[in-house]
Amino acid sequence: MSKEILIQTQKGERQVAIIENGRVDDFHIEVDRYQSLLGNIYKGRVESILPSINAAFVNIGQERNGFLYLTDAVEPPPVIDGEENQPQGILGRIFRGKQKNPEGQRPPHPPKKDRNEIPFKVGQEILVQVVKDPFGEKGARLTTHISLPGRFVVYMPFDKQMGVSKKIENTEERQRLREIIKGFTFVRTGGFIIRTASLKQQKHDLIRDAKFLYKIWTKIHKKAEEEKAPALIYEEGDLTWVIVRDYLTEKIDSVIIDNESDLQRIRRIVQTLIGRSMVNRIQLYTGKQLLFEAKNVDKELLTIYDTHVHVKSGAYIVIEQTEGLTVVDVNSGRFKVKASPGDAAFMVNMEVIPEIARQLRLRDLGGIIVIDFIDMTREEHKRRLLEALNRALTKDPAKTEVFKISPLGLVEMTRARTGKTIESISFGECPYCDGRGRVRLV
């Protein structure tokens, strides 16, 4: 199985295609006119608290205040420094500040919080991270559960949790990785989650990744002490950084880039994060044609903007997006086979499942997704269809959840939405039809 990453840079935008066996398996785009805030950490100021919706609005220096659910508020753990065993600076003042009893001594155990207690006050400065980009008239979605993802681990400075990705199912491997976590003694506070990419990785690679993240956190901690709210404390890396972090593994045969400056920058990142062994796989494209044209990627990418997507048998799916959800309709089209109607419906449904999962990744669709498969009556067919859909979604880096087939024969699922879809980044509303997308017949 061949796998490569293509990075094409044009005026005002950067496109990344992940090619598997000659076919586009994933696609990402970054444009200068739209800067994502996802993953950024801010020192914000609480502007208002609305107990009726269990949320607060936080000024992070953007056009719109960020939205923070009160249930997403976490009290940071103590930073142990000598004899001191209390949170320091802003990290200690995030929710309660330094409290003392009448004798001037700190209580040995903090009091339990009431479930309805509001964890902070209007005007208070808090450290927050963006978990969802602004969408429409809504500001960025925020959390105080800060997390820093690396190639193999995720560091959570305010969380004591130590765990292994559920996608790693082998019991022995899970135990091996848990033992490695116990060796992260250089970290004084916080917790770690072992990512799926850690499977069968060497101990020194995981330790290097964890030390890299902890070094970033110490810089964030220091800057948070110095800056006044609202202020950007940490900016998540650009698209090339994310690609290197999340996709560049031993399974990648080559990374081809058409821009010299990007090539040198990625090589430096790779040498820091991975080592020299992977640097040699990063190559510069010097052809006369555009990279995507030379690799026959352009034609395939056009399909991610079409409503109709066909598969080899002649069947096809129709994808329609609304503001609240995405609908995927399965049609038999020109599909022909000598089988009973029930078996034929099952065969069509099974064939389009990999394409549905692929299109969700390529278009970066999120939120509620409803799939209208061709009606099936046999319970065995329904069970096997759901199993196949879940297997196809295991390749998706976004969190997904599939529910049982409804009485109407619909499959409802959710896919984590963190930013704009590929279509919304690439297209704007038509000024002639005001977004109706139809031509009026006279």
Side-chain angles (χ1 to χ4, degrees):
M1 181 180 71
S2 63
K3 198 167 184 179
E4 62 182 355
I5 298 175
L6 308 179
I7 302 177
Q8 176 176 279
T9 303
Q10 293 179 296
K11 187 177 181 180
E13 71 178 29
R14 180 180 289 109
Q15 297 178 326
V16 177
I18 299 173
I19 312 298
E20 187 171 313
N21 294 329
R23 195 177 188 212
V24 180
D25 189 62
D26 210 340
F27 177 68
H28 302 268
I29 186 171
E30 181 180 66
V31 295
D32 291 347
R33 64 179 178 275
Y34 169 67
Q35 295 296 321
S36 173
L37 307 180
L38 188 64
N40 289 359
I41 298 175
Y42 294 87
K43 185 177 181 180
R45 183 172 58 249
V46 179
E47 296 291 337
S48 60
I49 300 173
L50 302 178
S52 59
I53 60 173
N54 196 35
F57 289 93
V58 182
N59 181 2
I60 59 173
Q62 296 295 314
E63 182 180 353
R64 297 183 181 86
N65 289 336
F67 182 86
L68 172 66
Y69 279 114
L70 300 184
T71 52
D72 276 346
V74 60
E75 184 173 1
V79 178
I80 301 175
D81 185 13
E83 296 181 356
E84 183 65 39
N85 193 25
Q86 292 295 322
Q88 303 297 310
I90 180 177
L91 303 182
R93 297 192 301 270
I94 285 184
F95 299 115
R96 59 180 170 81
K98 296 182 178 180
Q99 298 179 346
K100 295 184 179 182
N101 61 22
E103 288 75 29
Q105 301 296 322
R106 296 186 181 91
H109 300 289
K112 293 183 179 181
K113 288 188 176 182
D114 187 281
R115 181 174 295 181
N116 298 319
E117 180 184 348
I118 297 176
F120 36 64
K121 300 178 181 179
V122 173
Q124 188 170 352
E125 295 182 349
I126 60 175
L127 204 63
V128 293
Q129 186 172 34
V130 176
V131 293
K132 185 182 290 187
D133 273 325
F135 184 79
E137 297 298 317
K138 299 177 181 178
R141 168 83 177 274
L142 308 174
T143 183
T144 58
H145 290 265
I146 307 297
S147 64
L148 298 173
R151 296 186 70 236
F152 303 122
V153 302
V154 178
Y155 176 50
M156 302 165 294
F158 296 155
D159 198 327
K160 297 179 181 179
Q161 181 180 2
M162 296 287 186
V164 179
S165 169
K166 293 180 180 178
K167 292 184 179 180
I168 300 178
E169 298 179 349
N170 183 278
T171 304
E172 293 182 359
E173 179 66 6
R174 292 181 65 86
Q175 183 58 36
R176 183 186 76 89
L177 294 172
R178 289 183 184 278
E179 291 299 322
I180 292 176
I181 296 180
K182 294 179 181 178
F184 293 172
T185 55
F186 51 87
V187 179
R188 296 185 298 170
T189 61
F192 286 92
I193 295 293
I194 298 291
R195 302 184 70 182
T196 309
S198 297
L199 184 66
K200 296 182 180 180
Q201 292 295 327
Q202 297 296 319
K203 179 179 179 179
H204 64 83
D205 291 327
L206 274 65
I207 292 177
R208 178 171 62 178
D209 201 36
K211 286 184 176 180
F212 176 76
L213 295 177
Y214 188 64
K215 185 177 180 180
I216 291 177
W217 171 245
T218 56
K219 293 179 180 178
I220 292 172
H221 186 292
K222 182 179 179 181
K223 189 173 182 180
E225 293 284 343
E226 299 170 348
E227 297 288 338
K228 292 184 178 181
L232 174 63
I233 302 300
Y234 169 77
E235 187 172 12
E236 178 74 339
D238 61 11
L239 179 57
T240 53
W241 157 259
V242 174
I243 293 298
V244 170
R245 184 190 69 195
D246 295 344
Y247 293 93
L248 190 54
T249 66
E250 291 294 332
K251 295 181 180 180
I252 299 296
D253 299 309
S254 63
V255 180
I256 303 176
I257 309 170
D258 66 355
N259 183 280
E260 176 71 32
S261 61
D262 281 351
L263 175 81
Q264 298 302 330
R265 188 163 59 89
I266 290 177
R267 281 181 170 175
R268 288 193 297 269
I269 294 173
V270 170
Q271 186 158 340
T272 301
L273 285 182
I274 306 174
R276 295 181 180 179
S277 60
M278 191 68 72
V279 172
N280 295 330
R281 302 188 192 185
I282 304 171
Q283 307 165 12
L284 179 65
Y285 173 74
T286 57
K288 294 182 179 180
Q289 285 182 295
L290 291 175
L291 175 59
F292 280 12
E293 287 182 3
K295 292 287 187 175
N296 296 318
V297 172
D298 270 353
K299 292 181 180 180
E300 194 172 353
L301 287 179
L302 290 176
T303 63
I304 70 175
Y305 303 115
D306 292 339
T307 56
H308 291 61
V309 180
H310 295 263
V311 294
K312 289 183 179 179
S313 68
Y316 65 94
I317 58 177
V318 182
I319 303 175
E320 293 284 357
Q321 299 179 51
T322 70
E323 186 173 347
L325 56 85
T326 298
V327 178
V328 181
D329 184 35
V330 179
N331 295 275
S332 59
R334 299 189 306 274
F335 179 86
K336 293 182 180 179
V337 67
K338 292 182 180 180
S340 66
D343 289 340
F346 175 67
M347 293 169 68
V348 172
N349 289 337
M350 292 294 284
E351 185 190 19
V352 300
I353 281 176
E355 189 60 36
I356 291 174
R358 176 172 171 264
Q359 290 296 326
L360 295 182
R361 293 195 307 273
L362 292 178
R363 301 172 188 236
D364 199 15
L365 299 175
I368 301 172
I369 299 167
V370 178
I371 307 173
D372 185 8
F373 287 103
I374 298 174
D375 291 342
M376 298 177 297
T377 56
R378 293 175 58 182
E379 291 300 320
E380 181 187 359
H381 285 168
K382 294 179 181 180
R383 177 183 59 80
R384 291 173 59 186
L385 180 138
L386 289 177
E387 290 175 351
L389 181 58
N390 278 298
R391 283 196 304 270
L393 292 171
T394 56
K395 294 179 64 176
D396 200 329
K399 183 180 179 181
T400 59
E401 186 174 4
V402 179
F403 301 93
K404 294 181 179 179
I405 298 178
S406 74
L408 296 177
L410 305 175
V411 173
E412 300 172 5
M413 63 169 289
T414 60
R415 184 175 185 271
R417 172 187 285 166
T418 56
K420 292 187 175 184
T421 64
I422 297 294
E423 183 176 354
S424 64
I425 293 175
S426 304
F427 289 88
E429 190 175 274
C430 174
Y432 299 99
C433 69
D434 294 326
R436 292 186 180 89
R438 286 179 167 79
V439 177
R440 184 171 182 175
L441 301 177
V442 179

